[in-house]
Each structure stands twice: as C-alpha cells, then as structure tokens.
Amino acid sequence: MAANLSRNGPALQEAYARVVAEKSPTDWALFTYEGNSNDIRVAGTGEGGLEEVVEELNSGKVMYAFCRVKDPNSGLPKFVLINWTGEGVNDVRKGVCANHVSTMAGFLKGAHVTINARAEEDVEPECIMQKVARASGANYTFHRESSRFQDMGPQAPVGSVYQKTNAVSEIKRFGKDSFWAKAEEEEEQRRAQEKRRAEQERQQLEQERRERELREAALREQRYQEQGQEARQSRKSEQQEVVSRSREEQEPGQQSPREMFMQKERAVSTAPTSSPQPGVCEEPAPSAPECLVQAEEEAMYEEPPEQETLYEEPPMGEQQDPGSVCVDHYPGLSGKGLCARALYDYQAADETEISFDPENLITGIEVIDEGWWRGYGPDGHFGMFPANYVELIE
C-alpha cells in the first residue's frame, strides 16, 4: 500500500514549509508513521541542525528527516533528506515501507543529498557535511583558486579524453533492467504453468480413480448376480430331482401314508351321516397322488434366498475424524461457518494477522492456502493466521 499523506496533510505541509523558508529558525523536521498504518505524521521539528535531528532517530521505527544545512564551500543553504530504517524494524514492515521512499522524496522536494541509513554510523554529522560539500557545484573559493588562472607562459597541447562509444556495451547497460524484468516475468509464467500442469495431473488421476472404483463396483455386482442366479438354478434342479425320484418310487395304485390317513379321516367324518345298506359294498374312489402335487407346489413357491450385504457400514462412532473436535462440545458455534480451536499461542506481526492464546476459538475461517487461513479472532478482528497452530471443529 502507498503512503497516505492526505490524513495529516496540513501539518505535513506546514513543517516542510518552515524548514524550506530561509528566514525561519526551524531547520529540520522529522516524519514517521502512525502505529502500523501507512499514515504519515509529523514526529517533531527543531532548530539544532543535524546534531539534534540525529538524536531523535529511533532504532525501532521507519522515519524520514528533512534538514537545512549550510554548504561549507559556498555558504548557501542546502537540504538533506535522511531515509531512516531502524535495525529493530521487522522484515515485513521494511518491505512495505521500501515502496514509500519515492513518495516521500516527491513530497519533500529540493533535497540536494539523500542518505539511506540504518545505524548511527550512517548519520554522523561530519560524514553528511562531507557529502554535501562533494555534491555542491562550487568546490573552491575565489581567493584559493585565483592563482591557477595566472599567465604561466606557453602551455602544452591539450590532450583529448574522447573515448569511442561501444554500442554493444551501451545496449547491454541500458537493457539490463529490462532483461531482469523479462527474466522475472518468464519465471513467474513458468511457475504458473507448472502449477496448472500439476493441477491437471491431479484432476486426471482423481478421474481415473473414480472410474476404476465404478468399474470394480459394477464387476462385483455382476459377479454377485451371477452367483445368485447359479444358486437358484442349482436349488431348482435339486427340487426337480427330488420330485422325479418320489414319482419313480411310487408304484401305480399304491397309496402313500398321507393318503391313507386322509381317507381314514374322511371315512370317520362321513360315518354318522350315511349308513351302509346291507348287502351293498362300496368301492373306494381312486385318489390322485396328492403328495406329488403338494411337492410341486412347494417347489414353485419356495422363498428366494436372502441377499448378502456387499457393503458393511461402519458404526456411527467410528466415522468421526480423530484429528477434529466435535461441534457438540461448543454449542455457541452454530451458524458461524468453519471454526477451529487454538493449540498454541500466536502474536500477530502486523494488522493483517490475528493474535490468539491456546484454547481460543477462531470462527468464520476461509482456507486461502495450505499454510495460512483467515478468520475472526477472539477479539473479533479478521485476519490471517498459520493453519498448523489450530485444530478444526466439526
């Protein structure tokens, strides 16, 4: 993000104008950030020159100092811009503030010398004044250099310092930046292609795995149906053999014990109602082989065998992931999206992250990467956190 100069714009302009004004006693102004934001504010002003502003630099902050000094050669006022990055600033903040140097240079216009400093030895007033002296256009005084223009008699021929321009080296020098930019772009394209190719391979393997599982399930179902059909046919053939064997064993006119019992029952039931006439002998009526008919009916209406279960479902208690926590232990998390429980403590490095302690709950989680997620912390702040510091609640 860019540096914000509009929030404290009037105060920044006033401090800068007081340093630039030649008759103003204020000769330095110090600027820094408001907390971890990108808003620039005035840290202080003074009239003590380089010695005073150097003492105000903080090793734990990123600061910008604009100071008016006097050129030791010409005596004219010169302006020095110091881009201070303390050694105690973390690397993430350094990377963010590195993009603000050009913005601050555009705001603090007119600097004759720009110094990028990180330690106290980089901002020694004597070293800064030496750089100012070397940067000034007049490195001599009139009285000291006037003797060089006296007539000293005939002079030797003036030599030439002309050097032939090498087009190849010039092209290489000017094209170096574009070359590295192009190389970086090509490297990014290569990484993107590798990522897409890996994703396509993963999807293809997943598709092949699903198709293989479907084929195996279809084969298992087909084998089961074939086995069931063979079992039914074998049972049917066995029943037919039993029926045919029972028919062969029974001779014509011979009654089975079941038929004889049925005839006796019928004779007993009809004895009181009908009395036989004397001298008349009743002939028994021929009976059909009922045992054969009943055996055939039992063979026709035999119940089919019970089907064997192909897939045995695991118990409900074993389906829970051992690496997750059941949501029943936290009844207040319903409707808050994906939630997790903190395993360790974590402190945010900047405002884009969240802090939490062990056993704290993070709600509304968004999985943006394998290693980093986003969610609402215990204080309600929404930001990023490492995924291996928490445990999902299902």
Side-chain angles (χ1 to χ4, degrees), residues 71 73-74 76 78 112 131-141:
D71 188 353
N73 296 324
S74 62
L76 299 175
K78 301 292 182 180
H112 297 87
K131 293 181 180 180
V132 173
R134 287 195 300 267
S136 63
N139 289 332
Y140 60 91
T141 61

mmCIF file of all heavy atoms in Angstrom, residues 71 73-74 76 78 112 131-141:
data_model
loop_
_atom_site.group_PDB
_atom_site.id
_atom_site.type_symbol
_atom_site.label_atom_id
_atom_site.label_comp_id
_atom_site.label_asym_id
_atom_site.label_seq_id
_atom_site.Cartn_x
_atom_site.Cartn_y
_atom_site.Cartn_z
ATOM 1 N N ASP A 71 26.182 25.045 3.108
ATOM 2 C CA ASP A 71 27.257 24.465 2.306
ATOM 3 C C ASP A 71 28.590 25.012 2.807
ATOM 4 O O ASP A 71 28.800 26.236 2.848
ATOM 5 C CB ASP A 71 27.037 24.810 0.826
ATOM 6 C CG ASP A 71 28.008 24.070 -0.077
ATOM 7 O OD1 ASP A 71 28.914 23.403 0.429
ATOM 8 O OD2 ASP A 71 27.843 24.162 -1.316
ATOM 9 N N ASN A 73 31.409 25.145 1.352
ATOM 10 C CA ASN A 73 32.176 25.787 0.277
ATOM 11 C C ASN A 73 31.602 27.125 -0.127
ATOM 12 O O ASN A 73 32.306 28.130 -0.194
ATOM 13 C CB ASN A 73 32.246 24.864 -0.939
ATOM 14 C CG ASN A 73 33.017 23.581 -0.646
ATOM 15 O OD1 ASN A 73 33.994 23.604 0.098
ATOM 16 N ND2 ASN A 73 32.572 22.467 -1.208
ATOM 17 N N SER A 74 30.295 27.122 -0.421
ATOM 18 C CA SER A 74 29.681 28.349 -0.941
ATOM 19 C C SER A 74 28.916 29.130 0.117
ATOM 20 O O SER A 74 28.579 30.298 -0.115
ATOM 21 C CB SER A 74 28.733 28.003 -2.094
ATOM 22 O OG SER A 74 27.693 27.163 -1.632
ATOM 23 N N LEU A 76 25.895 28.607 0.910
ATOM 24 C CA LEU A 76 24.487 28.632 0.540
ATOM 25 C C LEU A 76 23.740 27.534 1.301
ATOM 26 O O LEU A 76 24.307 26.513 1.674
ATOM 27 C CB LEU A 76 24.330 28.425 -0.969
ATOM 28 C CG LEU A 76 24.986 29.490 -1.857
ATOM 29 C CD1 LEU A 76 24.858 29.099 -3.320
ATOM 30 C CD2 LEU A 76 24.355 30.858 -1.604
ATOM 31 N N LYS A 78 21.628 24.311 1.892
ATOM 32 C CA LYS A 78 21.392 23.039 1.202
ATOM 33 C C LYS A 78 20.442 22.199 2.061
ATOM 34 O O LYS A 78 20.339 22.381 3.280
ATOM 35 C CB LYS A 78 22.711 22.281 0.991
ATOM 36 C CG LYS A 78 23.748 23.050 0.185
ATOM 37 C CD LYS A 78 23.318 23.217 -1.257
ATOM 38 C CE LYS A 78 24.388 23.943 -2.070
ATOM 39 N NZ LYS A 78 23.993 24.123 -3.482
ATOM 40 N N HIS A 112 19.175 18.170 -1.824
ATOM 41 C CA HIS A 112 20.421 18.101 -2.580
ATOM 42 C C HIS A 112 21.166 16.795 -2.304
ATOM 43 O O HIS A 112 21.897 16.308 -3.164
ATOM 44 C CB HIS A 112 21.331 19.289 -2.220
ATOM 45 C CG HIS A 112 20.728 20.617 -2.581
ATOM 46 N ND1 HIS A 112 19.894 21.303 -1.718
ATOM 47 C CD2 HIS A 112 20.825 21.373 -3.704
ATOM 48 C CE1 HIS A 112 19.512 22.447 -2.277
ATOM 49 N NE2 HIS A 112 20.055 22.516 -3.494
ATOM 50 N N LYS A 131 29.496 14.834 2.365
ATOM 51 C CA LYS A 131 28.700 14.537 1.182
ATOM 52 C C LYS A 131 28.063 15.790 0.603
ATOM 53 O O LYS A 131 27.961 15.946 -0.614
ATOM 54 C CB LYS A 131 27.613 13.519 1.527
ATOM 55 C CG LYS A 131 28.164 12.147 1.886
ATOM 56 C CD LYS A 131 27.033 11.170 2.196
ATOM 57 C CE LYS A 131 27.594 9.796 2.550
ATOM 58 N NZ LYS A 131 26.515 8.819 2.862
ATOM 59 N N VAL A 132 27.648 16.713 1.481
ATOM 60 C CA VAL A 132 27.089 17.989 0.997
ATOM 61 C C VAL A 132 28.144 18.783 0.248
ATOM 62 O O VAL A 132 27.886 19.383 -0.804
ATOM 63 C CB VAL A 132 26.505 18.790 2.178
ATOM 64 C CG1 VAL A 132 26.091 20.186 1.726
ATOM 65 C CG2 VAL A 132 25.311 18.054 2.775
ATOM 66 N N ALA A 133 29.373 18.799 0.780
ATOM 67 C CA ALA A 133 30.449 19.540 0.128
ATOM 68 C C ALA A 133 30.782 18.944 -1.242
ATOM 69 O O ALA A 133 31.019 19.670 -2.208
ATOM 70 C CB ALA A 133 31.684 19.553 1.025
ATOM 71 N N ARG A 134 30.792 17.603 -1.335
ATOM 72 C CA ARG A 134 31.096 16.985 -2.614
ATOM 73 C C ARG A 134 29.965 17.164 -3.613
ATOM 74 O O ARG A 134 30.183 17.222 -4.824
ATOM 75 C CB ARG A 134 31.357 15.483 -2.412
ATOM 76 C CG ARG A 134 32.691 15.189 -1.740
ATOM 77 C CD ARG A 134 33.069 13.726 -1.905
ATOM 78 N NE ARG A 134 32.064 12.841 -1.303
ATOM 79 C CZ ARG A 134 32.138 12.390 -0.075
ATOM 80 N NH1 ARG A 134 33.153 12.740 0.725
ATOM 81 N NH2 ARG A 134 31.212 11.573 0.412
ATOM 82 N N ALA A 135 28.722 17.262 -3.102
ATOM 83 C CA ALA A 135 27.585 17.403 -4.003
ATOM 84 C C ALA A 135 27.386 18.821 -4.500
ATOM 85 O O ALA A 135 26.663 19.041 -5.472
ATOM 86 C CB ALA A 135 26.306 16.930 -3.304
ATOM 87 N N SER A 136 27.994 19.818 -3.852
ATOM 88 C CA SER A 136 27.797 21.204 -4.269
ATOM 89 C C SER A 136 28.521 21.469 -5.582
ATOM 90 O O SER A 136 29.543 20.865 -5.894
ATOM 91 C CB SER A 136 28.300 22.150 -3.170
ATOM 92 O OG SER A 136 29.689 21.974 -2.998
ATOM 93 N N GLY A 137 28.016 22.416 -6.351
ATOM 94 C CA GLY A 137 28.632 22.738 -7.643
ATOM 95 C C GLY A 137 29.892 23.554 -7.508
ATOM 96 O O GLY A 137 30.696 23.633 -8.436
ATOM 97 N N ALA A 138 30.160 24.209 -6.383
ATOM 98 C CA ALA A 138 31.351 25.057 -6.194
ATOM 99 C C ALA A 138 32.205 24.453 -5.107
ATOM 100 O O ALA A 138 31.898 24.567 -3.924
ATOM 101 C CB ALA A 138 30.955 26.485 -5.822
ATOM 102 N N ASN A 139 33.302 23.784 -5.487
ATOM 103 C CA ASN A 139 34.214 23.174 -4.530
ATOM 104 C C ASN A 139 35.469 24.028 -4.321
ATOM 105 O O ASN A 139 36.519 23.512 -3.994
ATOM 106 C CB ASN A 139 34.615 21.769 -5.008
ATOM 107 C CG ASN A 139 33.462 20.793 -4.886
ATOM 108 O OD1 ASN A 139 32.614 20.964 -4.033
ATOM 109 N ND2 ASN A 139 33.427 19.801 -5.766
ATOM 110 N N TYR A 140 35.382 25.318 -4.532
ATOM 111 C CA TYR A 140 36.559 26.161 -4.389
ATOM 112 C C TYR A 140 36.111 27.559 -3.989
ATOM 113 O O TYR A 140 34.944 27.918 -4.146
ATOM 114 C CB TYR A 140 37.332 26.236 -5.716
ATOM 115 C CG TYR A 140 36.529 26.802 -6.855
ATOM 116 C CD1 TYR A 140 36.541 28.186 -7.129
ATOM 117 C CD2 TYR A 140 35.740 25.977 -7.646
ATOM 118 C CE1 TYR A 140 35.803 28.706 -8.161
ATOM 119 C CE2 TYR A 140 34.997 26.508 -8.686
ATOM 120 C CZ TYR A 140 35.031 27.869 -8.944
ATOM 121 O OH TYR A 140 34.295 28.384 -9.967
ATOM 122 N N THR A 141 37.050 28.324 -3.492
ATOM 123 C CA THR A 141 36.820 29.740 -3.211
ATOM 124 C C THR A 141 37.599 30.571 -4.222
ATOM 125 O O THR A 141 38.578 30.118 -4.821
ATOM 126 C CB THR A 141 37.302 30.093 -1.797
ATOM 127 O OG1 THR A 141 38.697 29.831 -1.711
ATOM 128 C CG2 THR A 141 36.547 29.276 -0.756
#
